């Protein structure tokens, strides 16, 4: 099975900071990776699909990139509403549509 | 606009069954693959199952294989999850979610719409 490792698990940052979250796959998964934001008590919200395509309606400060088996979510300038938990998910081949462990982003 | 509304959750004893439903509207349901994802209290997201747009293929996480059954009725714009032989570790919020792309096969590039979730609690 292909493993997906998300890091860091916890991140403390300030409004205006640039932050990056990484997911690393143990084997190639092409661009079959998505990023989600989840706030407490709410369903996840798709931010990025196909590794680097910004979902409609998502602010342009969010971006995704890929280099081999390493995938990165970048928030260019943190806003107060961005403090949440972020997950990556690989969907290259069912039934292995697993999520990363999550990154909790908190205000410093 | 796209809406997904789950129902059918509740409190159930170990070993019992439930049928979760997800009613879809605002898009051509029969053209999209659909998924169930769950989240145990205070834990991360866990992908549970997927079904292709035409119901021809179904896929399950190892943790639920043989106990859960995903199905769909395209004439009713509805997705289902039959959950049998429930265990305490199945306690979670269950979400249905829609594929980004039309007519996806055994893969996807993301899940773009999610329901609000239905809570399943397994306890004696």
């Amino acid at each position: 099975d292909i493993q997906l490792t998300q890091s860091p698990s916890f991140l403390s940052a300030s409004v205006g900071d640039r932050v990056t979250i990484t997911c690393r796959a143990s084997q190639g998964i092409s661009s079959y990776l998505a990023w989600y934001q989840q706030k407490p008590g709410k369903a996840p919200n798709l931010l990025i699909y196909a590794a680097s395509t910004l979902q409609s309606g998502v602010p342009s400060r969010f971006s995704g990139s890929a280099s081999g088996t390493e995938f990165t979510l970048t928030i260019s300038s943190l806003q107060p509403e961005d403090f949440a938990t972020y997950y990556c998910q690989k969907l290259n081949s069912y039934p292995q549509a697993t999520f990363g462990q999550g990154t909790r982003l908190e205000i410093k | 606009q796209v809406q997904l509304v789950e129902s059918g959750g509740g409190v159930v004893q170990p070993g019992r069954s439930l049928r979760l439903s997800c009613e879809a509207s605002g898009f051509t349901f029969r053209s999209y693959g659909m998924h169930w994802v769950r989240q145990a209290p205070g834990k991360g997201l866990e992908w549970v199952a997927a079904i292709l747009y035409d119901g021809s293929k179904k896929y399950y996480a190892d943790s639920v294989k043989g106990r859960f059954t995903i199905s769909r009725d395209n004439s009713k714009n509805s997705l289902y999850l039959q959950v049998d032989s429930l265990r305490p570790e199945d306690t979670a919020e269950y979400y249905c979610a829609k594929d980004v792309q039309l007519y996806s096969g055994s893969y996807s590039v993301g899940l773009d719409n999610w329901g609000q979730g239905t809570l399943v609690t397994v306890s004696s």
Side-chain angles (χ1 to χ4, degrees):
Chain A
D1 289 5
I2 299 175
Q3 305 302 312
L4 193 63
T5 303
Q6 183 175 344
S7 62
S9 55
F10 178 82
L11 187 55
S12 181
S14 301
V15 172
D17 283 354
R18 178 184 180 91
V19 301
T20 59
I21 300 169
T22 298
C23 271
R24 186 171 287 107
S26 59
Q27 298 176 42
I29 58 170
S30 187
S31 296
Y32 295 105
L33 187 116
W35 291 97
Y36 305 89
Q37 176 193 70
Q38 188 180 32
K39 296 183 177 179
K42 299 293 187 182
N45 181 47
L46 178 66
L47 300 173
I48 302 287
Y49 65 92
S52 60
T53 303
L54 188 69
Q55 169 68 353
S56 176
V58 174
S60 59
R61 62 181 179 273
F62 292 92
S63 64
S65 64
S67 177
T69 60
E70 185 169 297
F71 300 84
T72 300
L73 173 70
T74 300
I75 310 172
S76 60
S77 179
L78 273 174
Q79 298 303 302
E81 60 268 29
D82 300 337
F83 292 94
T85 301
Y86 293 84
Y87 295 93
C88 60
Q89 183 191 19
K90 69 172 188 68
L91 301 117
N92 59 303
S93 179
Y94 305 154
Q96 297 180 42
T98 50
F99 289 89
Q101 297 85 346
T103 297
R104 185 176 170 190
L105 177 55
E106 291 200 342
I107 302 174
K108 184 181 287 184
Chain B
Q1 74 280 18
V2 173
Q3 273 201 306
L4 298 170
V5 180
E6 301 96 336
S7 61
V11 180
V12 62
Q13 293 179 327
R16 303 299 290 263
S17 300
L18 280 175
R19 190 193 196 205
L20 309 183
S21 299
C22 171
E23 186 172 334
S25 61
F27 66 102
T28 307
F29 180 73
R30 64 180 181 274
S31 300
Y32 290 88
M34 296 293 295
H35 300 247
W36 287 98
V37 175
R38 69 183 181 182
Q39 187 170 36
K43 302 296 184 182
L45 300 171
E46 180 186 14
W47 178 84
V48 172
I51 186 168
L52 298 194
Y53 61 95
D54 59 357
S56 60
K57 292 189 178 180
K58 305 171 185 182
Y59 305 90
Y60 301 93
D62 286 346
S63 57
V64 306
K65 197 169 186 179
R67 300 188 299 121
F68 289 14
T69 303
I70 189 172
S71 62
R72 66 191 296 159
D73 186 337
N74 286 346
S75 68
K76 295 183 179 178
N77 289 346
S78 292
L79 176 73
Y80 306 102
L81 187 69
Q82 177 69 34
V83 294
D84 297 325
S85 304
L86 281 161
R87 305 167 179 169
E89 56 265 34
D90 296 319
T91 294
E93 192 82 31
Y94 285 73
Y95 297 100
C96 64
K98 167 189 164 291
D99 267 345
V100 168
Q101 291 181 321
L102 287 163
Y103 306 122
S104 281
S106 60
Y107 56 87
S108 176
V109 294
L111 308 180
D112 63 350
N113 291 96
W114 297 61
Q116 84 290 348
T118 188
L119 181 62
V120 173
T121 303
V122 184
S123 173
S124 54

